Amino acid sequence: MSAVSIHTVLDQLLNQQDLPLKDVINRHFSPHYRQRTNGVWDDHAAFSQHIRKLREVVESARIEVLDELHDGNRYADRHCVYVTKRDGSTVVQEVYLFGELDSDGRFLRIEETTLMLEGAEADRNIGSVK
């Protein structure tokens, strides 16, 4: 199992929009993937819908991994995402993430909490927009 990094995953999801979304999601996320963001659970289909919406809204994103830990099939990190939206506005989110990987090294589960450091109030939930 190769070491996954949220930097690579987010870069492919948000910045490499020429890559087919379905391929990127299949590469990094198990078909049984579940994600809890700020207390709300999404299944694989709802997560895919979220990423499709983000690709519509986000022009580019810079990902800064502040802390990262791998321990067997467990992954944890703290990262900041600096988003430039297509309308020119910006959002900065700090994310605390705990994840579990499947036997192929894809995310099976992520539980995360986001903290908006900069941005409009309307962007507070950009981490779960659909």
Side-chain angles (χ1 to χ4, degrees):
M1 173 175 19
S2 63
V4 67
S5 173
I6 202 64
H7 184 279
T8 300
V9 174
L10 290 176
D11 183 62
Q12 289 181 9
L13 288 171
L14 300 176
N15 291 323
Q16 298 182 42
Q17 294 192 21
D18 56 320
L19 296 175
L21 182 57
K22 183 177 181 181
D23 292 349
V24 176
I25 289 174
N26 288 340
R27 181 178 310 126
H28 297 294
F29 299 91
S30 163
H32 306 288
Y33 178 71
R34 292 179 2 118
Q35 179 170 316
R36 184 172 77 164
T37 303
N38 298 328
V40 178
W41 281 103
D42 282 331
D43 61 11
H44 190 278
F47 170 75
S48 297
Q49 180 183 3
H50 163 63
I51 297 301
R52 274 192 299 281
K53 182 64 174 178
L54 275 182
R55 280 190 165 193
E56 292 174 14
V57 172
V58 173
E59 177 70 30
S60 65
R62 181 172 62 86
I63 301 97
E64 180 182 7
V65 176
L66 304 169
D67 298 293
E68 188 172 44
L69 175 68
H70 297 266
D71 184 15
N73 71 334
R74 302 293 184 170
Y75 176 84
D77 93 334
R78 180 174 64 99
H79 64 274
C80 286
V81 183
Y82 300 81
V83 172
T84 301
K85 294 172 50 180
R86 295 191 189 279
D87 67 7
S89 64
T90 59
V91 180
V92 179
Q93 294 265 330
E94 185 171 352
V95 181
Y96 298 81
L97 180 153
F98 293 88
E100 179 182 2
L101 306 173
D102 69 10
S103 61
D104 294 323
R106 298 176 299 179
F107 282 109
L108 179 61
R109 175 185 52 83
I110 284 179
E111 296 185 48
E112 65 182 11
T113 299
T114 64
L115 173 63
M116 187 168 76
L117 302 177
E118 295 177 23
E121 185 62 31
D123 292 321
R124 184 163 300 282
N125 291 320
I126 197 168
S128 56
V129 67
K130 289 187 188 68

